[in-house]
Amino acid sequence: MATTLHVCTTCRRAGVDPEGETRPGALLHAALANLPCPEGVTIQPVECLSACTQGCSVALSAPGKWSYVYGRMGPEDAATILQGAALYDASADGLVPWRTRPEIFRKQSLARIPPQVLPVQE
């Protein structure tokens, strides 16, 4: 199963979106694209994750796994985001143990979305 790291390229940050300048979300995408991507993870730019009041946002998803939306990110977080994406990819169901998640994934989660078909619990 392939993991997709969706990166909002239209995201703004309060007070950091001067007219005619590159948006912070596009800068975050560029920072991620300039680093080695973990095996199994694809970086996909998107135009909106509807987390507009939360600064730069990213989402992780994969077939059969829980999906996550994270906010208040920036280009300086790129390496940590990719570390978290690798942990997510290695998980069976998208649920990375809380203590092993990067701090920004523990504190800046905006949403957790169930897989389309939940695994059967015994």
Side-chain angles (χ1 to χ4, degrees):
M1 288 190 228
T3 293
T4 303
L5 173 61
H6 308 272
V7 184
C8 180
T9 58
T10 57
C11 278
R12 304 174 186 223
R13 281 188 181 169
V16 185
D17 193 28
E19 195 64 35
E21 302 258 340
T22 303
R23 289 203 174 170
L27 295 173
L28 173 58
H29 178 259
L32 289 162
N34 285 325
L35 293 173
C37 193
E39 187 174 338
V41 176
T42 301
I43 300 171
Q44 179 67 49
V46 296
E47 288 199 5
C48 186
L49 289 172
S50 289
C52 302
T53 62
Q54 297 296 321
C56 297
S57 59
V58 300
L60 284 167
S61 65
K65 292 186 177 186
W66 286 81
S67 297
Y68 287 85
V69 180
Y70 300 98
R72 302 180 302 280
M73 304 285 178
E76 66 279 3
D77 299 314
T80 305
I81 292 168
L82 291 176
Q83 175 192 13
L87 291 169
Y88 175 87
D89 184 66
S91 72
D93 54 8
L95 302 175
V96 176
W98 190 84
R99 292 184 191 271
T100 62
R101 295 178 198 168
E103 185 174 353
I104 60 173
F105 279 21
R106 291 190 305 242
K107 294 186 175 186
Q108 294 166 218
S109 177
L110 304 179
R112 184 174 100 163
I113 304 157
Q116 285 188 320
V117 178
L118 288 171
V120 176
Q121 296 182 357
E122 297 180 27

